[in-house]
Amino acid sequence: MSPALVLEVQTICKEDELVESHEYHKGVKHLSERGLTKVPRKYILPALERPLLSKKDGATNLKLPIIDIAQLQGPDRIHALASLSKACEEYGFFQLINHGIASESVVDMIQAARKFFELPFEERSKYMSKDQSAPVRYGTSFNQNKDRVFCWRDFIKLNCHPLSDVLPHWPSSPAELRQAVVNYSIETRSLYLMLAKAILESLGLVETEKNIDENGSCDLLKEFENGSQLIVANFYPSCPEPDLTLGIPPHSDYGFLTLLLPDEEVKGLQIQHEGRWVTVEPIPNSFVVNVGDHLEIFSNGKYRSVLHRVLVNPLKSRMSIASLHSLPFNSMIRPSPKLVNDANPRRYKDTAFATFIQYMASHEHKNKNFLESRRLTQQGDA
């Protein structure tokens, strides 16, 4: 082959790669609508990072600890708080039942999110943004600007606090989406605050808080009440080769708590427990709740965020709704001084929300790499 012909072939290949790369950024749903029979190269994980899909799936299923909101609000609160503490320490995950959120709000949220993903790409793409702090962001993979291998999911992220500021930026189509998210965000926020107070009590922080205002509400609780909330709808199309890719790779959530509404019909969430990947068995009408990096820092390592990932299905698409909660965006996340002593020295650096946003924008998010970057190497290192 002549040098000129070789150069021409190389140029054509590079042009094809550029076109292909541009198509990937349109999302996996856009690609799957073409009727894919194989997973594109961009989504194929290195062999050691691929999921090992056992035919005996039941052998690797896990029933998470169950926390009953009714017990947390009743006379058996002390026992319920002990169960909550044990779940956060040993699993980093639990299932929440009797949560009190209206089934209508849940159904409306799921249907509105599904209708959004059914919109033409041209409509969905209006909300694509590289700005990690945008009030609304539609995208694909985990961090599509940095991921070397893309994951098999599309998402829409909606900043939900304060609602009056962000609501005008949310998608106006489908028509019911805004009201569905408003209702759902208000109810999940109320549920989160109930859980946050219980967690503070389980850590021994509410009882010992001395800075009480005239209304009897401590400053610590006020900060949580004014905290951030992000609702993320995840869509995972069916995948022709689910053993080659993942819906989301192993990661921990950055915030304080995540309240996940899982797909009850199509399992996919896995957590790393006792050194192996296990599939979470969802309970109907419940939330899966997990500890985030900010709670691990705040508790000085007593409660641990846990690695989790999402499998994809060869026959069915899957959808989940996550409500991520933490302190206000302008807060500094640090270990509670009441949980630091000679026996349990400070383990993490002060961490601004802005630091996380910058890290996410400039790094490929893998495992617990952000949290590890905030860990102190020696006592007194700040």
Side-chain angles (χ1 to χ4, degrees):
M1 188 180 294
S2 70
L5 188 56
V6 169
L7 180 61
E8 183 179 350
V9 170
Q10 289 177 340
T11 301
I12 292 172
C13 287
K14 287 181 180 179
E15 288 176 349
D16 287 346
E17 287 178 4
L18 286 172
V19 170
E20 198 175 53
S21 175
H22 178 69
E23 291 298 303
Y24 294 147
H25 283 273
K26 291 183 178 180
V28 69
K29 184 175 187 296
H30 178 76
L31 287 174
S32 64
E33 286 170 347
R34 300 177 177 182
L36 294 176
T37 57
K38 288 187 172 295
V39 170
R41 182 175 52 184
K42 183 69 175 177
Y43 296 86
I44 298 178
L45 289 163
L48 294 178
E49 297 177 24
R50 297 173 192 171
L52 297 175
L53 302 181
S54 170
K55 291 183 180 179
K56 297 180 180 179
D57 189 52
T60 59
N61 286 1
L62 176 71
K63 291 185 178 179
L64 293 173
I66 295 174
I67 302 299
D68 189 337
I69 280 288
Q71 289 185 358
L72 277 175
Q73 295 177 307
D76 202 19
R77 183 173 175 83
I78 292 177
H79 179 266
L81 286 173
S83 298
L84 177 63
S85 181
K86 182 179 175 68
C88 291
E89 284 190 58
E90 297 182 4
Y91 288 81
F93 273 79
F94 56 89
Q95 300 219 55
L96 192 68
I97 62 172
N98 294 324
H99 48 72
I101 292 183
S103 58
E104 183 181 359
S105 293
V106 171
V107 170
D108 288 350
M109 179 68 235
I110 292 172
Q111 290 180 345
R114 193 173 296 281
K115 286 182 179 180
F116 175 83
F117 289 112
E118 289 172 353
L119 292 173
F121 170 74
E122 291 72 24
E123 184 66 25
R124 302 195 306 270
S125 66
K126 292 177 182 178
Y127 305 99
M128 282 186 161
S129 172
K130 293 183 179 181
D131 181 2
Q132 300 277 343
S133 59
V136 57
R137 189 160 67 92
Y138 172 69
T140 191
S141 192
F142 204 95
N143 180 355
Q144 66 194 85
N145 301 312
K146 291 293 177 181
D147 294 344
R148 287 171 293 176
V149 178
F150 273 22
C151 54
W152 201 264
R153 83 149 177 172
D154 292 345
F155 63 82
I156 181 160
K157 298 184 177 184
L158 299 160
N159 188 347
C160 295
H161 188 72
L163 280 171
S164 57
D165 290 350
V166 297
L167 185 57
H169 300 280
W170 289 358
S172 55
S173 183
E176 61 268 44
L177 185 137
R178 289 187 178 184
Q179 191 59 57
V181 178
V182 165
N183 294 343
Y184 185 78
S185 67
I186 291 173
E187 294 207 56
T188 49
R189 185 177 188 80
S190 177
L191 179 60
Y192 159 72
L193 290 173
M194 196 182 304
L195 279 175
K197 290 175 183 177
I199 282 176
L200 293 177
E201 191 172 338
S202 75
L203 290 168
L205 298 177
V206 171
E207 295 175 347
T208 58
E209 181 62 47
K210 303 298 183 183
N211 190 9
I212 306 292
D213 67 13
E214 294 179 356
N215 296 320
S217 175
C218 68
D219 287 348
L220 182 58
L221 289 177
K222 276 187 173 181
E223 194 170 13
F224 280 87
E225 288 167 1
N226 196 39
S228 60
Q229 180 180 15
L230 185 72
I231 285 185
V232 184
N234 300 299
F235 182 75
Y236 310 95
S238 58
C239 178
E241 297 174 296
D243 55 331
L244 299 181
T245 189
L246 284 166
I248 302 182
H251 69 287
S252 58
D253 292 350
Y254 70 85
F256 198 83
L257 286 177
T258 298
L259 279 61
L260 179 74
L261 189 64
D263 192 317
E264 294 181 3
E265 296 182 2
V266 186
K267 290 182 292 187
L269 174 64
Q270 289 193 320
I271 71 170
Q272 197 170 72
H273 182 64
E274 297 179 345
R276 64 193 184 107
W277 287 106
V278 288
T279 301
V280 172
E281 282 277 7
I283 298 174
N285 304 315
S286 71
F287 282 91
V288 174
V289 181
N290 64 282
V291 171
D293 293 345
H294 289 177
L295 178 50
E296 179 168 334
I297 293 172
F298 180 82
S299 68
N300 202 34
K302 179 177 175 64
Y303 296 164
R304 299 289 184 113
S305 62
V306 170
L307 287 178
H308 50 290
R309 67 183 188 181
V310 177
L311 304 180
V312 287
N313 190 286
L315 301 176
K316 298 179 179 179
S317 64
R318 181 176 180 276
M319 197 174 73
S320 65
I321 312 289
S323 186
L324 290 85
H325 300 263
S326 193
L327 297 175
F329 281 121
N330 60 357
S331 293
M332 186 68 70
I333 314 296
R334 55 171 61 92
S336 170
K338 299 182 185 301
L339 300 177
V340 176
N341 51 47
D342 291 341
N344 188 33
R346 182 181 172 125
R347 300 181 181 186
Y348 304 92
K349 304 173 186 177
D350 288 359
T351 303
F353 237 121
T355 303
F356 167 75
I357 298 296
Q358 291 166 2
Y359 190 97
M360 280 296 294
S362 58
H363 291 74
E364 184 177 14
H365 192 67
K366 277 193 170 184
N367 298 320
K368 294 177 69 170
N369 54 358
F370 172 70
L371 186 66
E372 293 304 320
S373 74
R374 310 312 300 161
R375 195 181 296 276
L376 295 175
T377 56
Q378 60 184 11
Q379 191 174 353
D381 183 13

